[in-house]
Amino acid sequence: SLILQEHFGENVKIVGEDLFKSKSKSISGITQTTRLTKRKVTKVINYEISNWIWLNHQVIAALAVLVQYRLVRFIPLETNESAGEYSLLYDKVLLFMRYPRYIYFIQKKFGNPASLIIEELLKSGMGLSHSVIIGAYQHLDKKNDGNLKELRDSFLDLVSESYIVQCPEVTDDPVPQLRVNMSDSLRLPDIELKDLKSYIDKGTGPIDESSDKNYWTVNTDRLHQSFRDKILIDAIERQIDPNAAECFQ
């Protein structure tokens, strides 16, 4: 609960605690036990349109945040398929404590631009490729076309190595389902430098329609696999020799 409060505030912590105590709950069930009301307005990011929207229901706003960061699972109710029930993925919540390690690992393996990309995605939960790159670019002390290209190339490298993956598609069902399109998930995004530079120079305006419109997120499973591989390689190098470790890689 302290992790949720630190990253998302009191309301998300309250909803997360309520879901942790239950196997699963509907929105009405969460509202009843938490007693969160519609009086306070909360600002969240919508998964499908990536715009700021206003939600005047505290429980729905908190759930929207948890969904964006993939911290809850939701399925249709058995008694009403047009309503959903939510369950907390508490193992995912604990991964927040590993975020510094993720960033450090990517920095050592791919360099500083890639670590900025990963940090930006971890902070937002998910994002369009252009938004993530521009967000990382804004954190640079020295801004130029060369740095922008490095960030674009780093994003593509992370996708090709599966450290960044596409978010599942959202279905049009009454209770939306998340489906992975395997053919699209293996395709590198189309990121044009001229679009990035135009957006940064103007400060406003949409990215060109031909550019990547998919949402991307950090693949923590791939990071954990790399951590395990590193432990095995280090153990082989200690027990045998560097050549054996090199062969294992």
Side-chain angles (χ1 to χ4, degrees):
S1 62
L2 291 177
I3 295 174
L4 293 177
Q5 184 176 32
E6 179 183 350
H7 287 85
F8 307 117
E10 185 68 17
N11 287 355
V12 175
K13 184 203 82 166
I14 292 172
V15 171
E17 282 182 338
D18 191 57
L19 288 175
F20 180 74
K21 297 172 185 176
S22 312
K23 182 178 179 182
S24 60
K25 265 190 176 181
S26 64
I27 291 176
S28 59
I30 299 169
T31 303
Q32 184 177 4
T33 54
T34 61
R35 299 188 179 183
L36 291 175
T37 67
K38 297 183 180 182
R39 284 180 241 164
K40 184 177 179 182
V41 176
T42 305
K43 205 176 187 184
V44 300
I45 300 177
N46 180 270
Y47 179 95
E48 295 183 79
I49 62 175
S50 188
N51 285 327
W52 289 100
I53 63 172
W54 292 96
L55 294 177
N56 64 357
H57 194 304
Q58 290 176 309
V59 171
I60 295 176
L63 285 172
V65 172
L66 293 171
V67 168
Q68 177 169 328
Y69 286 83
R70 297 167 295 139
L71 301 178
V72 292
R73 180 187 294 111
F74 51 92
I75 60 173
L77 283 167
E78 292 183 3
T79 56
N80 182 4
E81 292 190 355
S82 63
E85 60 180 355
Y86 300 80
S87 54
L88 182 70
L89 303 174
Y90 48 85
D91 289 344
K92 297 283 188 181
V93 176
L94 295 177
L95 292 183
F96 276 84
M97 294 188 293
R98 296 187 180 180
Y99 280 14
R101 186 180 179 190
Y102 295 159
I103 295 168
Y104 178 75
F105 173 81
I106 292 297
Q107 184 180 41
K108 295 289 286 185
K109 185 175 178 65
F110 293 98
N112 192 56
S115 70
L116 290 174
I117 293 291
I118 289 293
E119 183 176 4
E120 189 69 21
L121 265 179
L122 289 173
K123 286 193 300 185
S124 61
M126 61 184 68
L128 296 167
S129 57
H130 293 82
S131 299
V132 174
I133 293 170
I134 292 171
Y137 182 78
Q138 300 302 332
H139 292 295
L140 294 175
D141 294 328
K142 185 178 180 181
K143 298 179 176 66
N144 54 52
D145 291 351
N147 289 336
L148 188 60
K149 183 179 184 301
E150 283 185 349
L151 288 169
R152 191 278 307 268
D153 293 346
S154 293
F155 190 99
L156 295 177
D157 288 341
L158 291 167
V159 172
S160 65
E161 294 283 340
S162 298
Y163 289 103
I164 292 177
V165 293
Q166 277 192 35
C167 293
E169 297 177 352
V170 181
T171 68
D172 293 327
D173 300 315
V175 177
Q177 300 298 304
L178 304 179
R179 293 178 180 168
V180 177
N181 187 326
M182 292 305 297
S183 59
D184 287 343
S185 65
L186 300 175
R187 187 179 305 149
L188 289 177
D190 177 21
I191 308 173
E192 295 290 342
L193 277 177
K194 61 180 178 62
D195 290 342
L196 293 171
K197 289 192 286 187
S198 175
Y199 188 93
I200 291 170
D201 292 340
K202 294 178 181 178
T204 58
I207 295 294
D208 186 83
E209 288 297 325
S210 64
S211 297
D212 177 42
K213 296 298 179 183
N214 297 306
Y215 284 83
W216 299 85
T217 190
V218 175
N219 183 2
T220 54
D221 290 338
R222 177 71 173 92
L223 284 162
H224 295 159
Q225 178 189 337
S226 296
F227 294 162
R228 290 192 295 269
D229 291 347
K230 182 70 166 57
I231 291 171
L232 287 173
I233 291 168
D234 290 345
I236 291 171
E237 183 173 347
R238 286 195 307 270
Q239 296 296 324
I240 307 176
D241 57 42
N243 291 332
E246 185 70 25
C247 291
F248 182 81
Q249 295 186 63

